[in-house]
Amino acid sequence: MDKLKNLFNRLKASAKSLKKEVKTLYLAYKRPDVPWHAKLFSILVIGYALSPIDLIPDFVPIFGYIDDLVLIPLGVSLAIKMIPRKIVEECRVQAEDVFKDGKPKNWVAGAAIISIWIVVICFIIFKVLLRL
């Protein structure tokens, strides 16, 4: 029972840390001194992390949670490495205070994410219909 409780506490701490890193990326991509490629990758990672649509749906046994457990942490880690260390540290400090009132609402980013998913879904449907 203690092992299970320990595992749960470690997972909870990891999730909290990952959430803070996503907030850090959000703050970093808005800065002008972050390289454009790091901004682009950060926006993609943030969009995917916050998107309700997953690459592999969660209802698929085992594989449904792989993207949540592997892809998002991997993407966050890569994005953090693309940004200069000094900027990341500054954004980590800011992330603790900025989101006390809740998540910021960026309707342009939300519309962009939804548009990307619509294009991907239309592309898949178009490819499937061509094979019929």
Side-chain angles (χ1 to χ4, degrees), residues 117-132:
W117 278 113
I118 289 171
V119 168
V120 168
I121 291 168
C122 289
F123 178 76
I124 292 169
I125 291 171
F126 182 71
K127 285 294 188 179
V128 169
L129 289 177
L130 282 179
R131 291 186 182 209
L132 296 177

Side-chain angles (χ1 to χ4, degrees), residues 93-113:
V93 171
Q94 290 174 349
E96 294 175 7
D97 297 331
V98 167
F99 296 100
K100 286 184 178 177
D101 298 331
K103 296 178 194 172
K105 294 179 178 44
N106 188 336
W107 296 106
V108 174
I113 292 167

Side-chain angles (χ1 to χ4, degrees), residues 59-112:
F59 63 81
V60 176
I62 299 172
F63 295 110
Y65 290 103
I66 286 180
D67 62 340
D68 296 334
L69 297 173
V70 176
L71 291 179
I72 294 174
L74 183 64
V76 168
S77 177
L78 288 173
I80 292 288
K81 288 180 182 180
M82 291 180 183
I83 301 169
R85 186 175 303 269
K86 181 182 175 192
I87 295 172
V88 171
E89 293 303 322
E90 290 173 8
C91 291
R92 281 185 180 140
V93 171
Q94 290 174 349
E96 294 175 7
D97 297 331
V98 167
F99 296 100
K100 286 184 178 177
D101 298 331
K103 296 178 194 172
K105 294 179 178 44
N106 188 336
W107 296 106
V108 174

